[in-house]
Amino acid sequence: MLSNTNCGWVDGPEELFDPLQFAVDLEMTDKSSDNGVRDVNSLKNDDRVFISKGLITKANGSSYVELGLTKITCSIYGPHETTTDESYSKCLLDTSIKFSPFSRPKRIDPLRITYENSNEMDDTEEAELCSMLEECLLPCILLHKYPKSQIDIIIDIIQEDNEANLLSAIVLSTTVALIDACIELYDTVVAKSLKIDSNLLTVCYMPNLAQVSSLFFDGELTTNELDKYVDECIKQCHILHKAICKVIIDDLKNKDQESKQTKIA
Amino acid sequence: MPRVPVASEDERKFIVDGIQSDFRLDGRTSRMYRPVLLATDVVNTANGSCLLKLGGTIVMAGVTFEFTRTSQESPNEGRIEATVDGSGCHSLRIFGRQRHLFTKQISRSLNYILNNPKCFDREQLCVVKGHHCWLVHVDISVLRYEGNLYDACSFAMKAALSETKVPSLQVTHDEETSEVTVDVCDDPFQFGLLNVSNLPVFISVSQVSGIHIVDTTLKEDSVTLARITYGVKDNGNIVYMSKDGGGSLDLLNLRSMSKVASDIGPQMNSLLLDKIHLSKAKQPLWGHVNENLLFDDINFV
Amino acid sequence: MSSYYCVPGDRLCPADSARPGPGTYEKQGCIFASIAGSIKLNLSENELGAVSHNKNTSNNEKPIITVVREEHQLAVPTVGLLAYCKITHVSPRFVRCNMFAINNQPLKSICHGMIKREAIDSNNKDTVECSQKFRPDDIVIARIISLGDSNSYLLSTAEPELGVVAARTSTGETLVPVACCKMRCPKTNIIESRKVAKIQNDFIEETER
Amino acid sequence: MPLDTHSELLKSIDINEFYKLCITSTSKRPDSRSYLDCRPLKCLPNILQNSNGSSMIRLGNTRVICSIKCQLAKPSLKSPSCGYIQPLVLLPRTQAYTSFGRRTQIINNNAVLSQTLLDIILKSNMLHLDDLCIEQGKWVWCVSCDLFCINNDGNLLDCCLLAIVHALKQTTLYTVKIDSDTGKPLVYTKEKLKLKLYDEPLCCTMFVYDNELIVDPTLNEEQVATTLIHVVLLKNDQICLLNKTGGTIFPTEKFQQCYGLAKQYIHSQRQILEKANDSKTVE
Amino acid sequence: MPDSLSSGQQHMSLVVPGTILTNDTSNFMRGHGTYLDSTKTKLKSSVAGCILKVDRLLCVEPKHMRYIGEVGHVIIGRILKVDQTRWIVDTNSRLDSYLPLAAVVLPGGEHRRRIDDDERNMRQYLKEGDLVSAEIQIVHQDGTLSLQTRNLRYGKLSEGILVQVKSSLVKKTKNHFHSLPCGATVIRGCNGYIWICPPTAATASNEQEHHTGGYVRSIETISLDERKTITRLSNCIQILNRYSIPIYDTSIMNIYSASLDYEINQSIEPKIMDILAKQTLATQENIGTYE
């Protein structure tokens, strides 16, 4: 944990107040920051995707993804050597997700951003996202190809739009980063969340193998309704998957053309 | 998933073959639970408590009340939170560093169903709208772990909450100085009960080589590819779903698993209710907690 | 030739029409891509479509299908590959080193290696003295013979082509090899003993691959 | 581009050797820049929705996001009419995973950078803390500038300073009136007013490699550099801060050279900033 | 447990910590589980268990404890880790035990040179999680055990069920490998690990052991009947453990024959367990003691 003096100034105010909590004309701002309302139609208009790769130079692979208004960077380290006995035959995953101080309407105290990996603080929202992400990635990485090694996945949430597409964006960025890091995958996994009134369903799906790698549901539905929801999610996943593939393949083509030109020159 | 070896390759093969011939390590069939033993009201200091054995897995749940102010965003609701603690349990050590993550995950899942308005209505925990409410702690401690902790914890939580005695209060509202005074009435035999009829139970369905089994033991976990934990209400509706086990599933499996869960859920629910009634009836027989009798099977139903 | 591109999970061809090479995996009777890159078929210029015709070819003449990324490959220590390492610590029984490149691909993060005494030199194994073969900060080419225990990989230099490729004296002068077990300081013609790698052309090809 | 395996190897063996070789053989830097030209600079204003003002600076591979958040606070007793400004640099957590620096080291770097920035902001009085006062002794603004480095490829100070200046230019404050009887502030989110800036300090970082002045170091160059020189100039080209970390001894006329370099370097920076603002106003 | 007293050990007297064992410290020597009180006149017990008197040596052997190994014990262990030249084995004892590579008969004969690449291939013979039956060779000062499987009866265990019981219930006897008449083989490890496997597999591996020491995996799958017997046995042994009835081949057979009137999956229900335990105790009363 960083102490106050470590962070560059000594005489800061003891307590900070979010100005919005004193606001007198708050109706519209309140609505915009409230999630549940927009999510009903979000599954149409939130699919504006922007993907870019390899902006973090020291990492093996990295990606920057915008899904709707959610902005996320992900960087991959490894597979690198680890000394735990657990990992002799298979590769370990170590994910660490952090919210940047300005990712939410209310400022998150940056003193909370440590440089440790996520296992220490294990009851935060970040930890929950981590466990979900790991659950979703484990089935789709060829772990046995990287014995006695470990892959670190570091994710920074620059801006969060709404909780419904947060995990989806995280998974998207991680997949792109893994591909950029040239780590062998069974499939390009994509995730999609549906939030219809009070039911939140998230499905992580591998389109080519037609396998669900992870899913989460909170609400109340009968099994048949649930199946319908899952189908809808998977349909969305397919759309997302097409988008990724296009981006990646275009990127590959451009890279090759560049390299050819340099060869000629 | 455990971090130290639990079963060798050949043992795993043995287990898988058994499951495929619908004959598991202890003779159960794929849809069978281990015997559930329940004793309620085992701790004097808690408002409600129970000790639950699911085969070799033993958990103890205690419910305690705390008097607080209501939160801003939900003024006429009380608060309730469950915590699962495995620090006292030696057999959880196989998870190594992940042990705390594991218990934290379970408490997270329990909190999801507790905070789901369709499962548990938190308004019954409100004392004075916008002013005071109960903060209910459901503390579950794992005494022994031999598989399927999710289900055991949810059973224990429901049992404990269903026999929880809510202290009754007198609320006097003064009109002119809009002051609210709350005082506990001293009669110990005057209390209310919580309504937990909608509270679901967890049913964890594991997939082992295409076959779906419930209530896996520790060794069966070592051959499990994927497990989905469903929160199932007594009417068979699904209110919670999360996956672990690090494998993947196709849609057919997914469907049949949710069918299995919604079939078994109501059965387990009713079984649990019967047990709760029986143990309530049994309580006078052996009065209040008596530690050296506590783990003796004759006190359970 | 116009190259085809794929992302992980793309179905490339049925398993009986080709053999899975690097960057691919076989599942449910099909070969899938496991990395993003361009699809390559060796020993045959014909395209993917054409491959699926000669199904009834025996295994050895099936083409190997691979997926490659020119601009960026991932170096993973595997048994049999050659590693560049820097000696960190010399003890009578073994030598510790840091691998920083494998088959000429620099590793992003170094791996720890260990050369046991009996794996240093092929001839007269038992009389080998580690301190006479390596010194800290030497640059050595070695072959990975085993993943070893949880701490370090096991390496071997028991081949004429393997051993020290660059070394310095304590004064920082670059030593030049004079024999298979000797290096000379160009300034003060002091001879220092090392297990020198005999550089051969075909061997260089091997490392380039 | 096809990666030249041998130079790559050399780089991973001994970065100094590699650099020396590169400089001596082709009197250019590894990324084929000459000594005096800096990496392409890009500035994006207002990229974040949740903050009062924000900017993203991209200098080659170095990317820094700056977010200005203005919160209400009680002033300190020492200076009841002064607001707060709190620059805070967060180096990428990813650095903790490479060989570049352990965690504590990174935290220290954060502290050092943040402190330097705070000094620059206060000394150059680019903004007056009195402007941040709402009611004396009661309520003031606390402007917290979170500088979030997505990627660190050297020359962070320049980028951070650019980012802060650029973001503060965008920054708008809500108008706040104090409720006379309760003393509670009333925030009007509709009416915003711009933060007043009095100056724009910008920084130029250069380093010395065998008596050559080289501008805009990358991360590797910062490693091999024997000494680093930071020159911060105000609008009227006055020196606000001049900092030379130890290393080589250094004739005084070299400083004239530094000043000259810094001048032209910072001029180009200013132009780019202006352009970024104009383009933003055009949109 | 209610029946622990009537479990055929009446001839040993049970003591709790602090019980005065004897007053004349001159004629008795202080053994495990005992201590001299401050006055140096009384010998007291420091654990709860039964007194063990070997002429002048007074010991108290605790009832529930981790296994304390003795040379020559037949035990069953699970490989935890593969080290440089040895396997680290979990034997339910206080400290991890070791199985040195030299103490294992490797496939392809008795004594072979080329130790260095054996070290490299150790994982091929035994890897993490594998079960081995072995004999304790040395008990070190700190209580660490080092094992050996040179005798061809020992070696890697293939398909079957491992039941863990209190180590105090398994006493050392002449034979620990029982092939029971009900059609299953039971290995009673003195460390409280009991291995049940089909007779076919056992005999097969016996034959193999003459060449390989059980390092070759048997292919044939186990028939359902064999599986049922094995499962019934494992449930029965768990009942014996639960009611702390000493575990010998006789007691196992008694409870097994008693359990035959019930379905297998009934024998995990507490009531049935109670009945079965009572029955076996009764039969054993009739037969008499064990040794």
Side-chain angles (χ1 to χ4, degrees), chain B residues 33-37 52-58 147-148 151-152 155 215:
Chain B
Y33 264 73
R34 288 169 291 178
V36 178
L37 292 183
L52 184 128
K53 299 187 184 179
L54 177 63
T57 304
I58 307 178
N148 201 11
D151 301 12
F155 294 165
D215 189 24

Side-chain angles (χ1 to χ4, degrees), chain B residues 46-62:
Chain B
N47 298 48
S49 62
C50 81
L51 186 70
L52 184 128
K53 299 187 184 179
L54 177 63
T57 304
I58 307 178
V59 296
M60 184 180 244

Side-chain angles (χ1 to χ4, degrees), chain C residues 91-106:
Chain C
S91 86
R93 282 192 59 256
F94 55 82
V95 178
R96 291 204 177 280
C97 58
N98 292 341
M99 297 187 257
F100 56 83
I102 284 171
N103 277 18
N104 278 2
Q105 289 170 34

